[in-house]
Amino acid sequence: MAEPFPPTKSQDAHAILQSDFRMPMLSTNQISRCPCYPPIRSQDAHTTVRGHVQGDVITIQAPIANNLDEGYQHMMCVPDEMSKNYDGIKPAKTEMQVVERGYYDDEPATKVLLTPHTGRRHQLRVHCSHIGHTIVGDYTYSLRKDTKPYRMMLHAYRLVIPIPDCHLDVVAPDTFLTEIDVKWKPTEKILSMTAIQ
């Protein structure tokens, strides 16, 4: 029996998941030792959202559907919110933990850890927008208003793939730090990212 892989901290861990968290892109040599393509058991993301999120832990339970409105077919929606024209309603649930509150580019922002309990297309982006806290840099779900940042502030944080005789647990470093992006200025620390591991 093969030994389980130890948790891995990798600068490349952000590349493990696509932005919608549906298809793992495993490029590490560790996965090549695994006997099959397993289902993902745990997948967390850390992000910075607009505004100061009230409460430290929030469960977002809102269905997600395909948006059929002209010009918005590339987007998903919470039914009856953005669109009156939708189909394919599916239940969706996301857990949000506040890590820090502060300011991004002198505007209120909150660094959060997101855990999707379902795997809907654009789930994390839609749920953040649904509660009034779009992801910093999310041009699409801010309805083309968020143009300042150079990228969307959403990254894979942790991926766990349990399979027989093999276990992959990858944890990415926190990239939302003032040392990396001087526009992020935390004012209140709620939870340490290392405490989550």
PDB file of all heavy atoms in Angstrom, residues 103-135:
ATOM      1  N   TYR A 103      -9.070  47.328   3.905  1.00  0.00           N
ATOM      2  CA  TYR A 103      -9.344  48.186   2.754  1.00  0.00           C
ATOM      3  C   TYR A 103      -8.501  47.732   1.578  1.00  0.00           C
ATOM      4  O   TYR A 103      -7.318  47.422   1.739  1.00  0.00           O
ATOM      5  CB  TYR A 103      -9.036  49.650   3.093  1.00  0.00           C
ATOM      6  CG  TYR A 103      -9.999  50.176   4.120  1.00  0.00           C
ATOM      7  CD1 TYR A 103      -9.758  49.986   5.483  1.00  0.00           C
ATOM      8  CD2 TYR A 103     -11.177  50.814   3.741  1.00  0.00           C
ATOM      9  CE1 TYR A 103     -10.664  50.427   6.434  1.00  0.00           C
ATOM     10  CE2 TYR A 103     -12.087  51.255   4.678  1.00  0.00           C
ATOM     11  CZ  TYR A 103     -11.825  51.056   6.022  1.00  0.00           C
ATOM     12  OH  TYR A 103     -12.738  51.487   6.955  1.00  0.00           O
ATOM     13  N   TYR A 104      -9.125  47.661   0.413  1.00  0.00           N
ATOM     14  CA  TYR A 104      -8.399  47.394  -0.818  1.00  0.00           C
ATOM     15  C   TYR A 104      -8.523  48.642  -1.684  1.00  0.00           C
ATOM     16  O   TYR A 104      -9.627  49.049  -2.030  1.00  0.00           O
ATOM     17  CB  TYR A 104      -8.942  46.167  -1.572  1.00  0.00           C
ATOM     18  CG  TYR A 104      -8.084  45.849  -2.765  1.00  0.00           C
ATOM     19  CD1 TYR A 104      -6.929  45.097  -2.606  1.00  0.00           C
ATOM     20  CD2 TYR A 104      -8.376  46.355  -4.020  1.00  0.00           C
ATOM     21  CE1 TYR A 104      -6.094  44.847  -3.680  1.00  0.00           C
ATOM     22  CE2 TYR A 104      -7.543  46.117  -5.098  1.00  0.00           C
ATOM     23  CZ  TYR A 104      -6.405  45.359  -4.924  1.00  0.00           C
ATOM     24  OH  TYR A 104      -5.569  45.119  -5.978  1.00  0.00           O
ATOM     25  N   ASP A 105      -7.402  49.249  -1.997  1.00  0.00           N
ATOM     26  CA  ASP A 105      -7.362  50.478  -2.786  1.00  0.00           C
ATOM     27  C   ASP A 105      -8.244  51.553  -2.135  1.00  0.00           C
ATOM     28  O   ASP A 105      -9.027  52.235  -2.800  1.00  0.00           O
ATOM     29  CB  ASP A 105      -7.795  50.195  -4.226  1.00  0.00           C
ATOM     30  CG  ASP A 105      -7.272  51.229  -5.212  1.00  0.00           C
ATOM     31  OD1 ASP A 105      -6.376  52.019  -4.844  1.00  0.00           O
ATOM     32  OD2 ASP A 105      -7.775  51.251  -6.348  1.00  0.00           O
ATOM     33  N   ASP A 106      -8.153  51.630  -0.813  1.00  0.00           N
ATOM     34  CA  ASP A 106      -8.862  52.608   0.015  1.00  0.00           C
ATOM     35  C   ASP A 106     -10.383  52.428   0.046  1.00  0.00           C
ATOM     36  O   ASP A 106     -11.105  53.330   0.444  1.00  0.00           O
ATOM     37  CB  ASP A 106      -8.509  54.048  -0.398  1.00  0.00           C
ATOM     38  CG  ASP A 106      -7.026  54.340  -0.204  1.00  0.00           C
ATOM     39  OD1 ASP A 106      -6.459  53.851   0.798  1.00  0.00           O
ATOM     40  OD2 ASP A 106      -6.440  55.033  -1.048  1.00  0.00           O
ATOM     41  N   GLU A 107     -10.877  51.282  -0.363  1.00  0.00           N
ATOM     42  CA  GLU A 107     -12.309  50.972  -0.279  1.00  0.00           C
ATOM     43  C   GLU A 107     -12.496  49.786   0.657  1.00  0.00           C
ATOM     44  O   GLU A 107     -11.677  48.866   0.673  1.00  0.00           O
ATOM     45  CB  GLU A 107     -12.873  50.644  -1.667  1.00  0.00           C
ATOM     46  CG  GLU A 107     -12.853  51.818  -2.617  1.00  0.00           C
ATOM     47  CD  GLU A 107     -13.425  51.472  -3.985  1.00  0.00           C
ATOM     48  OE1 GLU A 107     -14.132  50.448  -4.100  1.00  0.00           O
ATOM     49  OE2 GLU A 107     -13.161  52.226  -4.923  1.00  0.00           O
ATOM     50  N   PRO A 108     -13.584  49.746   1.475  1.00  0.00           N
ATOM     51  CA  PRO A 108     -13.807  48.635   2.400  1.00  0.00           C
ATOM     52  C   PRO A 108     -13.781  47.285   1.682  1.00  0.00           C
ATOM     53  O   PRO A 108     -14.354  47.138   0.602  1.00  0.00           O
ATOM     54  CB  PRO A 108     -15.202  48.908   2.968  1.00  0.00           C
ATOM     55  CG  PRO A 108     -15.415  50.372   2.781  1.00  0.00           C
ATOM     56  CD  PRO A 108     -14.677  50.735   1.521  1.00  0.00           C
ATOM     57  N   ALA A 109     -13.084  46.329   2.298  1.00  0.00           N
ATOM     58  CA  ALA A 109     -12.970  44.985   1.723  1.00  0.00           C
ATOM     59  C   ALA A 109     -12.776  43.975   2.851  1.00  0.00           C
ATOM     60  O   ALA A 109     -12.370  44.334   3.960  1.00  0.00           O
ATOM     61  CB  ALA A 109     -11.813  44.925   0.739  1.00  0.00           C
ATOM     62  N   THR A 110     -13.075  42.722   2.565  1.00  0.00           N
ATOM     63  CA  THR A 110     -12.944  41.645   3.547  1.00  0.00           C
ATOM     64  C   THR A 110     -12.268  40.454   2.887  1.00  0.00           C
ATOM     65  O   THR A 110     -12.665  40.030   1.802  1.00  0.00           O
ATOM     66  CB  THR A 110     -14.330  41.208   4.073  1.00  0.00           C
ATOM     67  OG1 THR A 110     -15.034  42.356   4.549  1.00  0.00           O
ATOM     68  CG2 THR A 110     -14.200  40.202   5.201  1.00  0.00           C
ATOM     69  N   LYS A 111     -11.227  39.921   3.538  1.00  0.00           N
ATOM     70  CA  LYS A 111     -10.597  38.689   3.062  1.00  0.00           C
ATOM     71  C   LYS A 111     -11.365  37.526   3.684  1.00  0.00           C
ATOM     72  O   LYS A 111     -11.568  37.487   4.899  1.00  0.00           O
ATOM     73  CB  LYS A 111      -9.140  38.624   3.483  1.00  0.00           C
ATOM     74  CG  LYS A 111      -8.419  37.409   2.907  1.00  0.00           C
ATOM     75  CD  LYS A 111      -7.091  37.082   3.549  1.00  0.00           C
ATOM     76  CE  LYS A 111      -6.096  38.174   3.582  1.00  0.00           C
ATOM     77  NZ  LYS A 111      -4.778  37.724   4.074  1.00  0.00           N
ATOM     78  N   VAL A 112     -11.826  36.589   2.845  1.00  0.00           N
ATOM     79  CA  VAL A 112     -12.634  35.472   3.332  1.00  0.00           C
ATOM     80  C   VAL A 112     -12.123  34.148   2.780  1.00  0.00           C
ATOM     81  O   VAL A 112     -11.443  34.096   1.758  1.00  0.00           O
ATOM     82  CB  VAL A 112     -14.130  35.636   2.960  1.00  0.00           C
ATOM     83  CG1 VAL A 112     -14.722  36.870   3.617  1.00  0.00           C
ATOM     84  CG2 VAL A 112     -14.338  35.680   1.461  1.00  0.00           C
ATOM     85  N   LEU A 113     -12.483  33.074   3.483  1.00  0.00           N
ATOM     86  CA  LEU A 113     -12.255  31.707   3.022  1.00  0.00           C
ATOM     87  C   LEU A 113     -13.615  31.170   2.616  1.00  0.00           C
ATOM     88  O   LEU A 113     -14.578  31.252   3.387  1.00  0.00           O
ATOM     89  CB  LEU A 113     -11.651  30.853   4.130  1.00  0.00           C
ATOM     90  CG  LEU A 113     -11.397  29.396   3.755  1.00  0.00           C
ATOM     91  CD1 LEU A 113     -10.205  29.306   2.810  1.00  0.00           C
ATOM     92  CD2 LEU A 113     -11.134  28.564   4.990  1.00  0.00           C
ATOM     93  N   LEU A 114     -13.720  30.637   1.404  1.00  0.00           N
ATOM     94  CA  LEU A 114     -14.980  30.104   0.890  1.00  0.00           C
ATOM     95  C   LEU A 114     -14.875  28.601   0.721  1.00  0.00           C
ATOM     96  O   LEU A 114     -13.890  28.102   0.169  1.00  0.00           O
ATOM     97  CB  LEU A 114     -15.310  30.738  -0.465  1.00  0.00           C
ATOM     98  CG  LEU A 114     -15.471  32.252  -0.487  1.00  0.00           C
ATOM     99  CD1 LEU A 114     -15.557  32.751  -1.922  1.00  0.00           C
ATOM    100  CD2 LEU A 114     -16.708  32.661   0.294  1.00  0.00           C
ATOM    101  N   THR A 115     -15.889  27.890   1.177  1.00  0.00           N
ATOM    102  CA  THR A 115     -15.960  26.447   0.998  1.00  0.00           C
ATOM    103  C   THR A 115     -17.269  26.112   0.304  1.00  0.00           C
ATOM    104  O   THR A 115     -18.340  26.254   0.891  1.00  0.00           O
ATOM    105  CB  THR A 115     -15.886  25.712   2.356  1.00  0.00           C
ATOM    106  OG1 THR A 115     -14.683  26.096   3.018  1.00  0.00           O
ATOM    107  CG2 THR A 115     -15.900  24.203   2.156  1.00  0.00           C
ATOM    108  N   PRO A 116     -17.208  25.674  -0.957  1.00  0.00           N
ATOM    109  CA  PRO A 116     -18.438  25.278  -1.638  1.00  0.00           C
ATOM    110  C   PRO A 116     -18.856  23.880  -1.200  1.00  0.00           C
ATOM    111  O   PRO A 116     -18.039  22.972  -1.161  1.00  0.00           O
ATOM    112  CB  PRO A 116     -18.038  25.293  -3.118  1.00  0.00           C
ATOM    113  CG  PRO A 116     -16.567  25.048  -3.116  1.00  0.00           C
ATOM    114  CD  PRO A 116     -16.037  25.607  -1.821  1.00  0.00           C
ATOM    115  N   HIS A 117     -20.116  23.706  -0.854  1.00  0.00           N
ATOM    116  CA  HIS A 117     -20.631  22.382  -0.487  1.00  0.00           C
ATOM    117  C   HIS A 117     -21.301  21.723  -1.682  1.00  0.00           C
ATOM    118  O   HIS A 117     -21.666  20.555  -1.626  1.00  0.00           O
ATOM    119  CB  HIS A 117     -21.605  22.493   0.688  1.00  0.00           C
ATOM    120  CG  HIS A 117     -20.917  22.900   1.953  1.00  0.00           C
ATOM    121  ND1 HIS A 117     -20.248  22.014   2.768  1.00  0.00           N
ATOM    122  CD2 HIS A 117     -20.752  24.118   2.523  1.00  0.00           C
ATOM    123  CE1 HIS A 117     -19.729  22.652   3.792  1.00  0.00           C
ATOM    124  NE2 HIS A 117     -20.014  23.941   3.664  1.00  0.00           N
ATOM    125  N   THR A 118     -21.493  22.487  -2.748  1.00  0.00           N
ATOM    126  CA  THR A 118     -21.997  21.975  -4.014  1.00  0.00           C
ATOM    127  C   THR A 118     -21.064  22.500  -5.089  1.00  0.00           C
ATOM    128  O   THR A 118     -20.246  23.373  -4.824  1.00  0.00           O
ATOM    129  CB  THR A 118     -23.443  22.465  -4.275  1.00  0.00           C
ATOM    130  OG1 THR A 118     -23.489  23.885  -4.104  1.00  0.00           O
ATOM    131  CG2 THR A 118     -24.433  21.816  -3.321  1.00  0.00           C
ATOM    132  N   GLY A 119     -21.172  22.004  -6.285  1.00  0.00           N
ATOM    133  CA  GLY A 119     -20.237  22.398  -7.334  1.00  0.00           C
ATOM    134  C   GLY A 119     -20.911  23.020  -8.534  1.00  0.00           C
ATOM    135  O   GLY A 119     -20.838  22.479  -9.626  1.00  0.00           O
ATOM    136  N   ARG A 120     -21.563  24.132  -8.335  1.00  0.00           N
ATOM    137  CA  ARG A 120     -22.244  24.808  -9.439  1.00  0.00           C
ATOM    138  C   ARG A 120     -21.288  25.747 -10.184  1.00  0.00           C
ATOM    139  O   ARG A 120     -20.341  26.271  -9.596  1.00  0.00           O
ATOM    140  CB  ARG A 120     -23.445  25.613  -8.929  1.00  0.00           C
ATOM    141  CG  ARG A 120     -24.398  24.831  -8.081  1.00  0.00           C
ATOM    142  CD  ARG A 120     -25.061  23.694  -8.851  1.00  0.00           C
ATOM    143  NE  ARG A 120     -25.853  22.894  -7.945  1.00  0.00           N
ATOM    144  CZ  ARG A 120     -25.811  21.570  -7.895  1.00  0.00           C
ATOM    145  NH1 ARG A 120     -25.030  20.902  -8.701  1.00  0.00           N
ATOM    146  NH2 ARG A 120     -26.564  20.922  -7.045  1.00  0.00           N
ATOM    147  N   ARG A 121     -21.579  25.963 -11.452  1.00  0.00           N
ATOM    148  CA  ARG A 121     -20.761  26.850 -12.276  1.00  0.00           C
ATOM    149  C   ARG A 121     -20.777  28.264 -11.685  1.00  0.00           C
ATOM    150  O   ARG A 121     -21.843  28.808 -11.401  1.00  0.00           O
ATOM    151  CB  ARG A 121     -21.319  26.867 -13.694  1.00  0.00           C
ATOM    152  CG  ARG A 121     -20.527  27.722 -14.636  1.00  0.00           C
ATOM    153  CD  ARG A 121     -21.077  27.592 -16.036  1.00  0.00           C
ATOM    154  NE  ARG A 121     -20.415  28.537 -16.895  1.00  0.00           N
ATOM    155  CZ  ARG A 121     -21.011  29.176 -17.881  1.00  0.00           C
ATOM    156  NH1 ARG A 121     -22.269  28.955 -18.139  1.00  0.00           N
ATOM    157  NH2 ARG A 121     -20.345  30.026 -18.606  1.00  0.00           N
ATOM    158  N   HIS A 122     -19.609  28.848 -11.487  1.00  0.00           N
ATOM    159  CA  HIS A 122     -19.425  30.196 -10.941  1.00  0.00           C
ATOM    160  C   HIS A 122     -20.041  30.355  -9.552  1.00  0.00           C
ATOM    161  O   HIS A 122     -20.342  31.462  -9.125  1.00  0.00           O
ATOM    162  CB  HIS A 122     -20.035  31.264 -11.865  1.00  0.00           C
ATOM    163  CG  HIS A 122     -19.385  31.347 -13.203  1.00  0.00           C
ATOM    164  ND1 HIS A 122     -19.780  32.261 -14.147  1.00  0.00           N
ATOM    165  CD2 HIS A 122     -18.363  30.654 -13.776  1.00  0.00           C
ATOM    166  CE1 HIS A 122     -19.048  32.115 -15.248  1.00  0.00           C
ATOM    167  NE2 HIS A 122     -18.188  31.144 -15.030  1.00  0.00           N
ATOM    168  N   GLN A 123     -20.197  29.263  -8.824  1.00  0.00           N
ATOM    169  CA  GLN A 123     -20.898  29.291  -7.532  1.00  0.00           C
ATOM    170  C   GLN A 123     -20.354  30.326  -6.567  1.00  0.00           C
ATOM    171  O   GLN A 123     -21.124  31.102  -5.981  1.00  0.00           O
ATOM    172  CB  GLN A 123     -20.867  27.908  -6.881  1.00  0.00           C
ATOM    173  CG  GLN A 123     -21.511  27.870  -5.516  1.00  0.00           C
ATOM    174  CD  GLN A 123     -21.562  26.476  -4.935  1.00  0.00           C
ATOM    175  OE1 GLN A 123     -21.722  25.506  -5.659  1.00  0.00           O
ATOM    176  NE2 GLN A 123     -21.409  26.376  -3.621  1.00  0.00           N
ATOM    177  N   LEU A 124     -19.057  30.368  -6.367  1.00  0.00           N
ATOM    178  CA  LEU A 124     -18.483  31.286  -5.384  1.00  0.00           C
ATOM    179  C   LEU A 124     -18.699  32.738  -5.803  1.00  0.00           C
ATOM    180  O   LEU A 124     -19.048  33.592  -4.989  1.00  0.00           O
ATOM    181  CB  LEU A 124     -16.995  30.999  -5.181  1.00  0.00           C
ATOM    182  CG  LEU A 124     -16.669  29.578  -4.717  1.00  0.00           C
ATOM    183  CD1 LEU A 124     -15.161  29.403  -4.575  1.00  0.00           C
ATOM    184  CD2 LEU A 124     -17.385  29.234  -3.436  1.00  0.00           C
ATOM    185  N   ARG A 125     -18.542  33.011  -7.064  1.00  0.00           N
ATOM    186  CA  ARG A 125     -18.719  34.369  -7.579  1.00  0.00           C
ATOM    187  C   ARG A 125     -20.180  34.805  -7.470  1.00  0.00           C
ATOM    188  O   ARG A 125     -20.475  35.927  -7.066  1.00  0.00           O
ATOM    189  CB  ARG A 125     -18.244  34.430  -9.027  1.00  0.00           C
ATOM    190  CG  ARG A 125     -16.746  34.117  -9.154  1.00  0.00           C
ATOM    191  CD  ARG A 125     -16.336  33.869 -10.586  1.00  0.00           C
ATOM    192  NE  ARG A 125     -16.446  35.087 -11.375  1.00  0.00           N
ATOM    193  CZ  ARG A 125     -16.324  35.099 -12.710  1.00  0.00           C
ATOM    194  NH1 ARG A 125     -16.128  33.981 -13.381  1.00  0.00           N
ATOM    195  NH2 ARG A 125     -16.432  36.235 -13.363  1.00  0.00           N
ATOM    196  N   VAL A 126     -21.106  33.906  -7.813  1.00  0.00           N
ATOM    197  CA  VAL A 126     -22.534  34.222  -7.755  1.00  0.00           C
ATOM    198  C   VAL A 126     -22.979  34.412  -6.311  1.00  0.00           C
ATOM    199  O   VAL A 126     -23.696  35.368  -5.988  1.00  0.00           O
ATOM    200  CB  VAL A 126     -23.373  33.115  -8.439  1.00  0.00           C
ATOM    201  CG1 VAL A 126     -24.860  33.330  -8.213  1.00  0.00           C
ATOM    202  CG2 VAL A 126     -23.068  33.068  -9.930  1.00  0.00           C
ATOM    203  N   HIS A 127     -22.540  33.534  -5.401  1.00  0.00           N
ATOM    204  CA  HIS A 127     -22.957  33.649  -4.005  1.00  0.00           C
ATOM    205  C   HIS A 127     -22.404  34.911  -3.350  1.00  0.00           C
ATOM    206  O   HIS A 127     -23.107  35.562  -2.568  1.00  0.00           O
ATOM    207  CB  HIS A 127     -22.575  32.398  -3.229  1.00  0.00           C
ATOM    208  CG  HIS A 127     -23.587  31.315  -3.346  1.00  0.00           C
ATOM    209  ND1 HIS A 127     -23.385  30.057  -2.823  1.00  0.00           N
ATOM    210  CD2 HIS A 127     -24.826  31.287  -3.908  1.00  0.00           C
ATOM    211  CE1 HIS A 127     -24.454  29.313  -3.062  1.00  0.00           C
ATOM    212  NE2 HIS A 127     -25.345  30.039  -3.733  1.00  0.00           N
ATOM    213  N   CYS A 128     -21.169  35.276  -3.639  1.00  0.00           N
ATOM    214  CA  CYS A 128     -20.618  36.519  -3.080  1.00  0.00           C
ATOM    215  C   CYS A 128     -21.408  37.722  -3.588  1.00  0.00           C
ATOM    216  O   CYS A 128     -21.766  38.619  -2.813  1.00  0.00           O
ATOM    217  CB  CYS A 128     -19.133  36.655  -3.419  1.00  0.00           C
ATOM    218  SG  CYS A 128     -18.074  35.536  -2.488  1.00  0.00           S
ATOM    219  N   SER A 129     -21.703  37.729  -4.862  1.00  0.00           N
ATOM    220  CA  SER A 129     -22.491  38.811  -5.438  1.00  0.00           C
ATOM    221  C   SER A 129     -23.898  38.838  -4.833  1.00  0.00           C
ATOM    222  O   SER A 129     -24.443  39.902  -4.544  1.00  0.00           O
ATOM    223  CB  SER A 129     -22.566  38.630  -6.957  1.00  0.00           C
ATOM    224  OG  SER A 129     -23.369  39.621  -7.534  1.00  0.00           O
ATOM    225  N   HIS A 130     -24.474  37.670  -4.614  1.00  0.00           N
ATOM    226  CA  HIS A 130     -25.826  37.544  -4.070  1.00  0.00           C
ATOM    227  C   HIS A 130     -25.969  38.206  -2.691  1.00  0.00           C
ATOM    228  O   HIS A 130     -26.986  38.825  -2.390  1.00  0.00           O
ATOM    229  CB  HIS A 130     -26.211  36.063  -3.984  1.00  0.00           C
ATOM    230  CG  HIS A 130     -27.480  35.782  -3.260  1.00  0.00           C
ATOM    231  ND1 HIS A 130     -28.717  36.194  -3.724  1.00  0.00           N
ATOM    232  CD2 HIS A 130     -27.711  35.139  -2.097  1.00  0.00           C
ATOM    233  CE1 HIS A 130     -29.651  35.805  -2.868  1.00  0.00           C
ATOM    234  NE2 HIS A 130     -29.068  35.163  -1.877  1.00  0.00           N
ATOM    235  N   ILE A 131     -24.926  38.116  -1.868  1.00  0.00           N
ATOM    236  CA  ILE A 131     -25.000  38.715  -0.529  1.00  0.00           C
ATOM    237  C   ILE A 131     -24.481  40.155  -0.519  1.00  0.00           C
ATOM    238  O   ILE A 131     -24.323  40.767   0.534  1.00  0.00           O
ATOM    239  CB  ILE A 131     -24.277  37.866   0.541  1.00  0.00           C
ATOM    240  CG1 ILE A 131     -22.775  37.779   0.275  1.00  0.00           C
ATOM    241  CG2 ILE A 131     -24.918  36.488   0.657  1.00  0.00           C
ATOM    242  CD1 ILE A 131     -21.977  37.230   1.438  1.00  0.00           C
ATOM    243  N   GLY A 132     -24.217  40.695  -1.706  1.00  0.00           N
ATOM    244  CA  GLY A 132     -23.816  42.096  -1.809  1.00  0.00           C
ATOM    245  C   GLY A 132     -22.336  42.353  -1.643  1.00  0.00           C
ATOM    246  O   GLY A 132     -21.922  43.483  -1.389  1.00  0.00           O
ATOM    247  N   HIS A 133     -21.514  41.314  -1.778  1.00  0.00           N
ATOM    248  CA  HIS A 133     -20.066  41.450  -1.614  1.00  0.00           C
ATOM    249  C   HIS A 133     -19.358  40.797  -2.804  1.00  0.00           C
ATOM    250  O   HIS A 133     -18.818  39.700  -2.679  1.00  0.00           O
ATOM    251  CB  HIS A 133     -19.607  40.813  -0.297  1.00  0.00           C
ATOM    252  CG  HIS A 133     -20.142  41.470   0.911  1.00  0.00           C
ATOM    253  ND1 HIS A 133     -19.677  42.687   1.362  1.00  0.00           N
ATOM    254  CD2 HIS A 133     -21.138  41.113   1.760  1.00  0.00           C
ATOM    255  CE1 HIS A 133     -20.346  43.037   2.454  1.00  0.00           C
ATOM    256  NE2 HIS A 133     -21.237  42.100   2.706  1.00  0.00           N
ATOM    257  N   THR A 134     -19.361  41.476  -3.953  1.00  0.00           N
ATOM    258  CA  THR A 134     -18.699  40.895  -5.116  1.00  0.00           C
ATOM    259  C   THR A 134     -17.211  40.754  -4.863  1.00  0.00           C
ATOM    260  O   THR A 134     -16.615  41.508  -4.087  1.00  0.00           O
ATOM    261  CB  THR A 134     -18.916  41.757  -6.388  1.00  0.00           C
ATOM    262  OG1 THR A 134     -18.431  43.067  -6.133  1.00  0.00           O
ATOM    263  CG2 THR A 134     -20.359  41.786  -6.805  1.00  0.00           C
ATOM    264  N   ILE A 135     -16.619  39.797  -5.533  1.00  0.00           N
ATOM    265  CA  ILE A 135     -15.186  39.568  -5.408  1.00  0.00           C
ATOM    266  C   ILE A 135     -14.453  40.742  -6.057  1.00  0.00           C
ATOM    267  O   ILE A 135     -14.819  41.198  -7.137  1.00  0.00           O
ATOM    268  CB  ILE A 135     -14.797  38.233  -6.070  1.00  0.00           C
ATOM    269  CG1 ILE A 135     -15.451  37.077  -5.293  1.00  0.00           C
ATOM    270  CG2 ILE A 135     -13.287  38.073  -6.150  1.00  0.00           C
ATOM    271  CD1 ILE A 135     -15.343  35.730  -5.952  1.00  0.00           C
TER     272      ILE A 135
END
